[in-house]
């Protein structure tokens, strides 16, 4: 099977940044900035323009132009309006992209991780290494989580996922559904999982490929150590476990 460019459709805190970086090392296609359609990023003007004009035909044409040289893309579906995701899926399908859907089985933990990042300002391992010691020492105080907003966050994310699945199914796209726990918490190494995912996009590689060394050595930000310092995180997680009951 010839190699294809890929689009990762995901939500925040699913390990998508690490998976994108690993697949980018193996791909013959260039990989554009993560979540490029977010405001203030490389293709953010397209999203901002759509917010102003509301023309879905124009939106699709502009996204199609952005995909002309088939860059690999990671896109968070719950961050932007669904018409942006729809236009990206349609343009990607027309240009022969391989579609990867990345979710997390434990939705309460995913949203909990998102809340911790928002409360502490640590959105990655580099931020955590700088910010966590300040919080632990008392030099910096994390924000309190807005518990009243939890139902909206849960429902909005589920809605975005449901809409995305509907778009993929209605277009007859054979997407590759990947799950955080099966990549990062499996008995198989993450590198083996990445190679298997890459193979379905027509990319030939082996788990011991030197291009995957950075991925195999990558470390999370160990959010659990900071959770106790966020005043109402435990209550937020308890509420999330009820709201996200699987």
């Amino acid at each position: 099977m010839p190699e294809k460019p890929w689009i990762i459709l995901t939500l925040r805190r699913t390990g998508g940044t690490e998976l994108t970086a690993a697949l980018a090392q193996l791909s013959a296609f260039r990989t554009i900035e993560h979540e490029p359609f977010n405001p203030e990023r490389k293709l953010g003007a397209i999203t901002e323009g759509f917010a102003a004009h509301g023309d879905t035909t124009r939106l699709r044409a502009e996204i199609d132009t952005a995909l002309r040289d088939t860059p690999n893309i990671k896109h968070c579906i719950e961050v932007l309006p669904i018409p942006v995701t729809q236009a990206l899926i349609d343009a990607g399908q027309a240009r022969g992209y391989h579609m990867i859907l990345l979710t997390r089985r434990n939705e309460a933990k995913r949203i909990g991780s998102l809340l911790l990042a928002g409360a502490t300002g640590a959105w990655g391992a580099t931020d955590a290494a700088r910010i966590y010691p300040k919080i632990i020492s008392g030099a910096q105080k994390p924000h309190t989580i807005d518990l009243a907003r939890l139902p909206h966050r849960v429902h909005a994310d589920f809605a975005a996922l449901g809409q995305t699945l509907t778009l993929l199914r209605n277009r007859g796209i054979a997407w590759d559904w990947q799950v955080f726990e099966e990549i990062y918490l499996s008995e198989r190494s993450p590198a083996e999982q990445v190679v298997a995912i890459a193979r379905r996009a027509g990319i030939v590689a082996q788990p011991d490929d030197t291009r995957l060394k950075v991925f195999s050595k990558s470390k999370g930000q160990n959010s659990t150590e900071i959770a106790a310092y966020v005043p109402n995180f435990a209550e937020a997680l308890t509420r999330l476990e009820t709201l996200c009951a699987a």
Side-chain angles (χ1 to χ4, degrees), residues 3-7 20 23-33 36 42-43 65-74 97:
E3 180 176 343
K4 296 181 178 181
W6 41 261
I7 293 172
T20 299
L23 289 176
Q25 290 294 316
L26 303 176
S27 178
F29 298 88
R30 73 183 182 95
T31 300
I32 202 168
E33 178 186 19
K42 187 175 181 64
L43 301 174
T65 298
L67 300 191
R68 185 175 294 161
D69 65 341
T70 57
N72 298 315
I73 289 176
K74 171 201 165 195
Y97 272 77

Side-chain angles (χ1 to χ4, degrees), residues 69-123:
D69 65 341
T70 57
N72 298 315
I73 289 176
K74 171 201 165 195
H75 174 75
C76 284
I77 60 177
E78 87 282 22
V79 175
L80 300 178
I82 195 65
V84 177
T85 298
Q86 178 174 338
L88 177 60
I89 289 172
D90 287 343
Q93 182 183 28
R95 291 190 177 274
Y97 272 77
H98 178 64
M99 300 285 183
I100 300 169
L101 180 68
L102 174 64
T103 60
R104 188 163 174 169
R105 184 174 295 125
N106 193 319
E107 186 69 357
K109 284 189 176 180
R110 183 191 71 79
I111 297 178
S113 176
L114 182 66
L115 295 175
L116 278 179
T120 62
W123 291 91

Side-chain angles (χ1 to χ4, degrees), residues 40-198:
E40 300 181 4
R41 294 198 180 173
K42 187 175 181 64
L43 301 174
I46 294 176
T47 302
E48 292 173 331
F50 174 69
H53 61 69
D55 184 339
T56 56
T57 301
R58 176 177 168 183
L59 172 67
R60 163 63 196 275
E62 290 177 346
I63 289 183
D64 185 66
T65 298
L67 300 191
R68 185 175 294 161
D69 65 341
T70 57
N72 298 315
I73 289 176
K74 171 201 165 195
H75 174 75
C76 284
I77 60 177
E78 87 282 22
V79 175
L80 300 178
I82 195 65
V84 177
T85 298
Q86 178 174 338
L88 177 60
I89 289 172
D90 287 343
Q93 182 183 28
R95 291 190 177 274
Y97 272 77
H98 178 64
M99 300 285 183
I100 300 169
L101 180 68
L102 174 64
T103 60
R104 188 163 174 169
R105 184 174 295 125
N106 193 319
E107 186 69 357
K109 284 189 176 180
R110 183 191 71 79
I111 297 178
S113 176
L114 182 66
L115 295 175
L116 278 179
T120 62
W123 291 91
T126 301
D127 288 339
R130 175 176 53 86
I131 293 172
Y132 284 4
K134 295 179 183 179
I135 292 175
I136 292 170
S137 71
Q140 182 171 323
K141 299 291 185 183
H143 298 296
T144 300
I145 294 168
D146 185 353
L147 300 177
R149 295 286 296 170
L150 296 185
H152 170 77
R153 178 76 276 153
V154 171
H155 297 154
D157 290 2
F158 271 124
L161 179 57
Q163 288 173 310
T164 301
L165 285 167
T166 300
L167 290 168
L168 291 168
R169 180 64 183 87
N170 286 352
R171 284 150 180 75
I173 297 172
W175 70 92
D176 182 8
W177 195 336
Q178 294 296 320
V179 179
F180 169 90
E181 287 84 354
E182 294 173 5
I183 297 174
Y184 299 99
L185 305 180
S186 167
E187 292 182 358
R188 298 172 66 188
S189 71
E192 288 180 283
Q193 301 284 13
V194 169
V195 166
I197 295 168

Side-chain angles (χ1 to χ4, degrees), residues 178-238:
Q178 294 296 320
V179 179
F180 169 90
E181 287 84 354
E182 294 173 5
I183 297 174
Y184 299 99
L185 305 180
S186 167
E187 292 182 358
R188 298 172 66 188
S189 71
E192 288 180 283
Q193 301 284 13
V194 169
V195 166
I197 295 168
R199 189 173 297 121
R200 287 189 283 275
I203 301 170
V204 178
Q206 298 299 324
D208 60 355
D209 193 304
T210 57
R211 292 171 293 179
L212 291 176
K213 283 186 176 179
V214 173
F215 179 70
S216 63
K217 294 180 180 179
S218 66
K219 297 179 180 179
Q221 62 190 74
N222 196 19
S223 299
T224 53
E225 73 168 316
I226 210 66
Y229 293 87
V230 178
N232 60 344
F233 178 75
E235 182 180 358
L237 190 58
T238 297

